[in-house]
Amino acid sequence: MADIVSLLLPFFGLILIGYIAAKTTKQPAEALGWLNTFIIYAALPALFFKLVSRTPIEELTRVDFIVTDIAATYAVFILLFVIGRIWRGNSLADCTIQSFAGAYGNIGYMGPGLALLALGEGAAVPVALIICFENALHFIVAPALMAAAGDDKRSTGQLVADIVHKVALHPFILSTAAGFAVAALHIDQPLAFQRLVDYLAQAAAPCALFAMGVTLALRPLKRIPAEISYIVPAKLILHPIAVFVALTAVGGFEPIWIQAAVLLACLPTATNVFVIGQQYGVWQERASATILITTVFSVVTVSLWLIVIRSGLLPLQLFP
């Protein structure tokens, strides 16, 4: 237990420091802009490039791993969509944001720091692959469903062009693709360049977690959605279980890859869910509340998942 506390205290402590700093200094939301820019366009891309470029190419081509992980994630997404649409009678647009709230974890800001801290460098490749491909698919699914709901007024051609542009030029995607190229071509990186990448990568986790704490503080809890009763357990409990079951059912993956995927799946709702809701004017306050509530509860649930993973209670093979 002391080992788990030593892992989580600096992790959630940085989020708390950011939260307290925002509450005490009363800085406007715009003050966070340049820090977010640094995180998204420099620090996290450097981390993803470092992880991927220094990995043997054969480990980077596990299409079966990516497909299985994404299938489990979108099984949760579809389940929540059906519940919202049929049981709650919500609109297509509302169901879309609700489903992302239960299936889109904060893998970009929280994932790399926690997984590498808890599991070591062996978790680097699965973490980078999950973040890259899940984000790419989310960038496609969100506008596509919003267009189907009628909340995206762009023409079909403009919508497709914008999606392609967003996916192809996103810093996470570009940095991961560059890492793939370097690994595949066995390019030797100059020492000075490697040191620059290392410096930027080391800043990724602390800056991202601090910024997340600030973001939570700037979005006070105004409205607790009724859907929170099933979104929270779906995100923090069902999602990691679904990922674990799917990966062990397919089989053939290293234990640390399964552990990394489960750890990323148990993370709270991504702040991007609020951004998507804000972009389309749908479920904004409730998305913000969901992010805050899942983050608070994740202190307990992530701790429990880490205990399960690190104590060996997570079976390496569920199916014979």
Side-chain angles (χ1 to χ4, degrees):
M1 191 62 195
D3 187 30
I4 301 301
V5 171
S6 67
L7 283 173
L8 292 179
L9 185 59
F11 187 80
F12 284 105
L14 280 165
I15 297 176
L16 180 61
I17 290 171
Y19 186 92
I20 294 172
K23 287 293 188 182
T24 55
T25 62
K26 305 295 184 181
Q27 293 287 337
E30 293 75 15
L32 192 60
W34 282 113
L35 179 58
N36 277 328
T37 298
F38 171 74
I39 295 167
I40 295 171
Y41 289 91
L44 282 173
L47 177 61
F48 298 147
F49 175 82
K50 174 184 175 181
L51 297 180
V52 174
S53 66
R54 301 176 191 180
T55 301
I57 188 62
E58 55 271 13
E59 292 186 32
L60 300 174
T61 54
R62 295 300 304 269
V63 177
D64 52 346
F65 175 79
I66 292 301
V67 170
T68 305
D69 175 81
I70 288 177
T73 294
Y74 273 87
V76 176
F77 181 96
I78 292 169
L79 174 63
L80 292 175
F81 195 97
V82 170
I83 291 173
R85 190 71 170 155
I86 296 177
W87 180 41
R88 298 285 303 169
N90 292 320
S91 68
L92 183 61
D94 278 357
C95 289
T96 299
I97 305 301
Q98 292 168 24
S99 301
F100 274 119
Y104 191 174
N106 210 326
I107 52 178
Y109 273 26
M110 299 178 70
L114 180 59
L116 295 178
L117 191 64
L119 303 175
E121 288 294 325
V125 177
V127 166
L129 293 176
I130 289 171
I131 292 173
C132 178
F133 286 97
E134 275 200 15
N135 275 317
L137 190 57
H138 295 331
F139 296 156
I140 295 171
V141 171
L145 286 177
M146 283 303 181
D151 289 311
D152 197 315
K153 306 305 180 183
R154 290 172 289 183
S155 66
T156 302
Q158 184 61 50
L159 178 64
V160 171
D162 288 347
I163 290 174
V164 171
H165 181 270
K166 186 173 184 179
V167 172
L169 297 182
H170 193 280
F172 295 176
I173 311 296
L174 287 175
S175 59
T176 304
F180 266 97
V182 170
L185 299 173
H186 305 287
I187 298 174
D188 290 328
Q189 303 171 48
L191 181 59
F193 177 75
Q194 289 187 43
R195 286 178 175 170
L196 173 61
V197 170
D198 288 343
Y199 289 153
L200 289 171
Q202 289 165 10
C207 289
L209 295 172
F210 179 87
M212 184 180 171
V214 173
T215 302
L216 292 174
L218 296 176
R219 294 178 189 152
L221 188 61
K222 295 180 179 178
R223 179 181 181 184
I224 299 178
E227 296 85 358
I228 206 75
S229 62
Y230 57 85
I231 289 177
V232 170
K235 181 70 213 69
L236 302 179
I237 300 172
L238 179 60
H239 188 190
I241 290 175
V243 167
F244 170 72
V245 170
L247 289 173
T248 51
V250 172
F253 305 115
E254 291 292 326
I256 197 168
W257 283 50
I258 297 175
Q259 293 167 354
V262 169
L263 195 54
L264 262 62
C266 77
L267 294 176
T269 303
T271 52
N272 271 349
V273 175
F274 171 78
V275 174
I276 296 170
Q278 188 177 49
Q279 180 181 354
Y280 294 100
V282 175
W283 222 66
Q284 298 172 68
E285 286 186 5
R286 287 173 287 180
S288 180
T290 303
I291 294 165
L292 179 58
I293 292 169
T294 55
T295 301
V296 171
F297 276 101
S298 72
V299 176
V300 175
T301 56
V302 170
S303 300
L304 293 175
W305 279 110
L306 273 173
I307 291 172
V308 169
I309 290 170
R310 290 178 65 88
S311 63
L313 295 175
L314 194 69
L316 299 181
Q317 186 176 2
L318 190 62
F319 301 95

